[in-house]
Amino acid sequence: MSNAAYRPVSVEGFDLANPPEGFITDPFPYYDALLHDAPVLPQPDGSLLVCRHADLDRIYRDTTLFSSDKKRVFAPKYGAGSPLFEHHTTSLVFSDPPLHTRVRKIMTSALTPRAISRMEPGLIETVDHLLNSMAGSGEVDLIGDFAASIPIQIIGNLLDVPLGERAPLRDWSLAILGALEPALSEAQLAAGHRAVEEFKDYLQDLIARRRARPGDIETDVLTRLIRGEGADGTLSEIELIQNCIFILNAGHETTTNLIGNGLALLNDHPEQRRRLLEEPELIKPAVEEVLRFRSPNQLGNRETTAEAEIGSIRVPAGTNLHLVIGAANRDPGAFENPAEFDIARTPNRHLAFAGGPHVCVGLTLARLEGKIAIERLLRRFPDYRILPGRVPGGRIRFRGYARLPAALG
């Protein structure tokens, strides 16, 4: 393995639940060191960090040996039967067949290429409205004023959430996804439980209204979920509610981070911004490179169902695996010069959307949102500048910004 990207930090005794100072702000030197020195690293709690691209790719594809079900891991973390436990063990991402199969069929039947192409005019309208609102402002926040607003509206449209009822969605999403961090404070745990309960209460009412007045089966994913369209049977009320929460959360956080990270990276790499302005057809590979270089989701998890071997280490059944997507996407065994941001990179087999049967069901929509948001802002404000005062998201699992101040002209 080439060590061209390796930067000398020590990962001896590295503990994801208690990371070294500076890791949350800048994990990339540690990812490089893990890939170089300890690509499969046992953790103090008996879990395992897995960092190599080839290992993650294999694990994602083998759903028999590597399970997505997290009941055993989440029971002590959240409390069996608690709101967060119920949500994270019922939603699509942390489930195995048959639940995963039923829910995914409904979602994929609603998110066909034809359906997504029908969303494009509304997406362009949303982005242009936000750009118009920011024009003439002395300073804007590219997260709060732009990146975070786009997926909330698009996923809100997908479930036909009334416009006047969307305000709490972002805060609920941040609290619930924040509870997936490797270590939680009591305040974070309480906020996550409370958000699930409030979200459930809201959705029970919305679902009752939708049952009474169904939406267009072609465009309203909530109506499809209620009817079980595209699957072999309907969902229970709890499965329905928790997977609506999942759709809103998954579609919001990662896309917000994709857009924010992309705008920050183009600001920080002016030669790449210049190239994109001169060659706008590079927008699609540019989005893929943002996904690789600053993956919105940095971590995934699986659990072994039987004894396995990963990187010459024997792993017992029931072992929790932390799949370090952010490291795998910097693996010199899979990418040439992985520490370089190259908007024309090809091939680019990143794992930002995971892989195998659990590959992100909304990846086409997320790519479209990222493409339109970045290309239209860049076209409208080619000289935008990120100002001092960036606020990182402050989390390990998700990588993005809480605030990104900028001047647009």
Side-chain angles (χ1 to χ4, degrees):
M1 178 186 292
S2 166
N3 64 356
Y6 173 65
R7 287 177 277 176
V9 298
S10 173
V11 291
E12 184 177 354
F14 182 93
D15 181 0
L16 190 65
N18 186 26
E21 185 177 355
F23 174 78
I24 295 176
T25 303
D26 183 12
F28 301 102
Y30 295 92
Y31 290 164
D32 293 342
L34 285 164
L35 284 163
H36 189 270
D37 299 330
V40 183
L41 183 65
Q43 295 290 278
D45 64 359
S47 63
L48 206 67
L49 287 184
V50 185
C51 299
R52 276 189 296 239
H53 186 282
D55 290 333
L56 265 67
D57 189 49
R58 170 205 167 200
I59 289 166
Y60 281 136
R61 293 175 188 279
D62 188 343
T63 57
T64 301
L65 185 55
F66 304 105
S67 169
S68 294
D69 189 298
K70 296 296 177 299
K71 293 183 181 69
R72 191 186 67 84
V73 174
F74 285 162
K77 180 170 185 170
Y78 301 132
S82 70
L84 281 167
F85 178 83
E86 181 186 85
H87 170 65
H88 285 306
T89 58
T90 309
S91 65
L92 181 71
V93 70
F94 294 125
S95 64
D96 287 329
L99 174 62
H100 178 267
T101 306
R102 284 189 292 129
V103 178
R104 190 176 177 92
K105 277 185 178 180
I106 298 170
M107 293 186 189
T108 53
S109 72
L111 293 173
T112 62
R114 180 179 164 210
I116 290 172
S117 70
R118 286 201 302 265
M119 297 179 201
E120 189 166 350
L123 174 56
I124 291 171
E125 184 180 354
T126 295
V127 169
D128 286 350
H129 173 74
L130 293 169
L131 294 174
N132 290 337
S133 299
M134 294 191 297
S137 302
E139 179 179 318
V140 299
D141 174 12
L142 291 176
I143 303 302
D145 296 330
F146 188 64
S149 298
I150 296 166
I152 283 292
Q153 299 309 324
I154 299 308
I155 303 300
N157 292 345
L158 203 62
L159 294 175
D160 200 14
V161 176
L163 283 171
E165 299 174 9
R166 297 180 185 184
L169 299 180
R170 175 166 162 75
D171 287 342
W172 286 337
S173 174
L174 291 173
I176 294 167
L177 292 177
L180 288 171
E181 288 292 276
L184 295 175
S185 68
E186 287 298 320
Q188 287 173 310
L189 192 61
H193 287 315
R194 186 168 58 251
V196 173
E197 289 292 271
E198 291 175 0
F199 216 154
K200 280 177 63 179
D201 288 344
Y202 170 71
L203 285 168
Q204 283 173 329
D205 177 64
L206 181 66
I207 289 165
R209 284 182 273 158
R210 198 60 48 81
R211 288 189 193 278
R213 297 186 64 182
D216 182 348
I217 201 71
E218 292 297 318
T219 58
D220 178 7
V221 173
L222 179 54
T223 295
R224 296 185 76 96
L225 286 165
I226 290 169
R227 294 185 178 181
E229 294 290 331
D232 304 321
T234 58
L235 302 174
S236 71
E237 190 77 359
I238 289 300
E239 291 170 345
L240 175 60
I241 289 169
Q242 299 297 0
N243 281 288
C244 285
I245 293 176
F246 163 74
I247 292 169
L248 284 157
N249 288 351
H252 164 255
E253 176 77 354
T254 51
T255 306
T256 298
N257 290 349
L258 165 59
I259 296 167
N261 290 348
L263 294 173
L265 285 166
L266 290 169
N267 175 87
D268 298 343
H269 297 80
E271 75 291 348
Q272 296 294 307
R273 171 159 51 176
R274 253 189 327 271
R275 184 173 184 187
L276 187 54
L277 286 166
E278 292 167 359
E279 302 176 65
E281 67 276 9
L282 289 176
I283 184 63
K284 287 187 177 180
V287 168
E288 297 306 307
E289 181 67 344
V290 172
L291 287 162
R292 182 196 73 84
F293 195 78
R294 288 290 183 272
S295 304
N297 183 11
Q298 295 277 300
L299 285 174
N301 292 91
R302 291 294 186 271
E303 185 174 301
T304 53
T305 60
E307 185 178 76
E309 183 172 317
I310 305 173
S312 76
I313 293 179
R314 300 301 299 176
V315 183
T319 299
N320 183 33
L321 307 177
H322 304 283
L323 308 183
V324 191
I325 297 167
N329 283 343
R330 294 176 66 89
D331 186 349
F335 303 97
E336 186 176 350
N337 300 319
E340 291 183 8
F341 179 63
D342 177 6
I343 64 166
R345 181 181 296 274
T346 183
N348 193 346
R349 292 182 58 250
H350 65 75
L351 296 171
F353 292 120
H358 273 270
V359 68
C360 175
V361 71
L363 81 174
T364 304
L365 181 56
R367 283 172 164 140
L368 182 65
E369 290 178 76
K371 170 186 176 293
I372 289 175
I374 293 170
E375 74 178 352
R376 293 186 84 82
L377 185 141
L378 198 58
R379 185 187 307 164
R380 179 82 175 270
F381 304 112
D383 300 318
Y384 78 90
R385 304 183 323 279
I386 306 296
L387 302 172
R390 303 183 198 196
V391 179
R395 290 188 283 174
I396 293 174
R397 190 179 189 94
F398 299 99
R399 182 133 196 102
Y401 294 93
R403 187 170 184 274
L404 202 58
L408 295 178

